[in-house]
Amino acid sequence: MDDKHMQIGEVAARTELSLRTIRHYEETGLVIPSARSQGGFRLYTDTDVARLMVIRRMKPLGFTLDQMRDLLDATDRLDAGDALDDGEREALLDRIRSYEQAAAQQVDKLRVQLARAEDFAATLAARLEQPALTARP
């Protein structure tokens, strides 16, 4: 990742998140801008954007802010390059595995919902294609 710094507007455009949402994630401690400009504007890096993308992907799957924070903490600790003993490393990987399993379950539920929605839309489309019933006198 490069060290390019972006202001919040560019981050919003790249992540398709609103400024308000990004600020909310900052207030809750999920994503802290890496720097501030001389004028006091928040400055984000590609790493910050990557964190926001993790959050953006977790939110529609029903994960809470605490769960997002927990997953980000686990991945941060694994990525930090600190010496972890085998037990610590395996515990972090287990945490990440549990989120992967929960995400897969949510994906399955969403597939069922999507199939039902598509079926419903097809039923309506078929109904609209039927010849109009003539009004009785």
Side-chain angles (χ1 to χ4, degrees):
M1 303 252 176
D2 62 31
D3 290 345
K4 178 184 174 228
H5 287 88
M6 297 163 268
Q7 289 189 12
I8 195 168
E10 183 179 347
V11 172
R14 285 181 62 180
T15 60
E16 298 179 356
L17 294 169
S18 70
L19 300 180
R20 182 177 177 207
T21 297
I22 294 169
R23 288 187 187 111
H24 174 68
Y25 293 150
E26 179 184 350
E27 289 164 10
T28 58
L30 284 173
V31 177
I32 306 297
S34 294
R36 293 253 179 193
S37 70
Q38 289 182 341
F41 293 106
R42 298 167 178 86
L43 295 176
Y44 299 84
T45 62
D46 286 333
T47 301
D48 300 326
V49 170
R51 288 176 72 85
L52 284 165
M53 293 303 290
V54 169
I55 295 164
R56 194 185 96 179
R57 291 178 183 120
M58 289 181 80
K59 187 161 178 45
L61 296 177
F63 290 103
T64 66
L65 293 178
D66 285 340
Q67 290 171 317
M68 294 174 190
R69 190 175 291 109
D70 183 55
L71 176 62
L72 289 167
D73 174 65
T75 56
D76 287 348
R77 289 180 58 197
L78 281 172
D79 293 344
D82 297 337
L84 298 171
D85 67 40
D86 289 344
E88 290 172 314
R89 181 174 181 72
E90 195 53 41
L92 292 170
L93 291 171
D94 282 345
R95 277 165 61 190
I96 294 170
R97 271 187 212 98
S98 72
Y99 287 107
E100 187 275 332
Q101 290 167 355
Q105 289 172 353
Q106 283 302 110
V107 167
D108 288 343
K109 287 180 186 177
L110 288 169
R111 280 198 177 105
V112 169
Q113 289 178 337
L114 178 59
R116 289 176 181 159
E118 288 172 336
D119 183 50
F120 177 63
T123 300
L124 292 175
R127 175 64 185 94
L128 290 171
E129 290 171 8
Q130 291 176 1
L133 297 175
T134 56
R136 294 184 188 175

